Amino acid sequence: MKIPLELVSIDPNGTHLLLDVTINHKPLKLVLDTGASRSVFDLDYLKEIEPDLIFKVEEATSAGVGAINMKSYTVVVENFGIGKHKMKNIELAAMDLAAVLQSYEKIGAAKIHGVLGGDILLKGNAIISYANRELKLDSDALMVL
């Protein structure tokens, strides 16, 4: 499956890739982050769009850009969509991503709601094409998530 990517300029010499996903049919924009060990969603935004979700605190704390020892949570969502592929009852990670969101706001980039990380990229046998601005994922491989 091919998923379109949006190339966003950061500083004079940097770029980030953004993509659209859905949680329970509600749209979210994520940063494609090959350096993130797993995909993480903004806790506050998930609570805003799906107030009935039940979040479980993880025992271990997480580290990310700009922070260490952050509380992280897991949540099961009924429907996670990426491209034309839909995953049912998938467990996702969530944490406070306010610092990351603010840095995107400062540069005038699109509002983001999380990062697509190594968990989905690895399981989906990801191939990133900068030339075509697309992410290729094996939808059959994602069935095991």
Side-chain angles (χ1 to χ4, degrees):
M1 118 180 87
K2 296 178 182 178
I3 300 143
L5 297 173
E6 177 185 344
L7 189 69
V8 175
S9 293
I10 309 290
D11 300 329
N13 299 316
T15 58
H16 282 185
L17 296 170
L18 307 180
L19 70 150
D20 296 315
V21 300
T22 60
I23 288 182
N24 296 340
H25 310 288
K26 295 181 175 99
L28 292 88
K29 190 166 289 287
L30 304 182
V31 176
L32 192 149
D33 188 349
T34 59
S37 60
R38 66 181 182 172
S39 302
V40 180
F41 298 83
D42 182 53
L43 179 65
D44 289 340
Y45 188 71
L46 289 183
K47 286 180 177 181
E48 178 184 318
I49 64 167
E50 288 291 327
D52 295 332
L53 290 176
I54 299 168
F55 294 88
K56 295 179 186 171
V57 177
E58 289 193 309
E59 303 246 344
T61 57
S62 297
V65 176
I68 56 172
N69 294 328
M70 293 178 63
K71 246 187 207 177
S72 58
Y73 303 82
T74 58
V75 61
V76 175
V77 298
E78 285 179 34
N79 207 311
F80 176 69
I82 182 165
K84 293 179 180 176
H85 188 73
K86 306 290 185 247
M87 291 173 256
K88 302 280 187 191
N89 299 313
I90 182 171
E91 184 176 82
L92 301 174
M95 64 176 46
D96 179 2
L97 295 178
V100 175
L101 303 181
Q102 287 171 1
S103 62
Y104 272 84
E105 230 175 76
K106 285 181 185 176
I107 61 166
K111 183 174 176 122
I112 62 158
H113 308 104
V115 298
L116 186 74
D119 53 350
I120 292 174
L121 297 173
L122 179 64
K123 285 200 180 11
N125 300 315
I127 298 172
I128 301 164
S129 172
Y130 278 83
N132 297 325
R133 293 192 181 158
E134 68 185 15
L135 169 65
K136 292 180 187 175
L137 293 173
D138 179 347
S139 56
D140 291 334
L142 288 175
M143 296 302 287
V144 298
L145 270 180

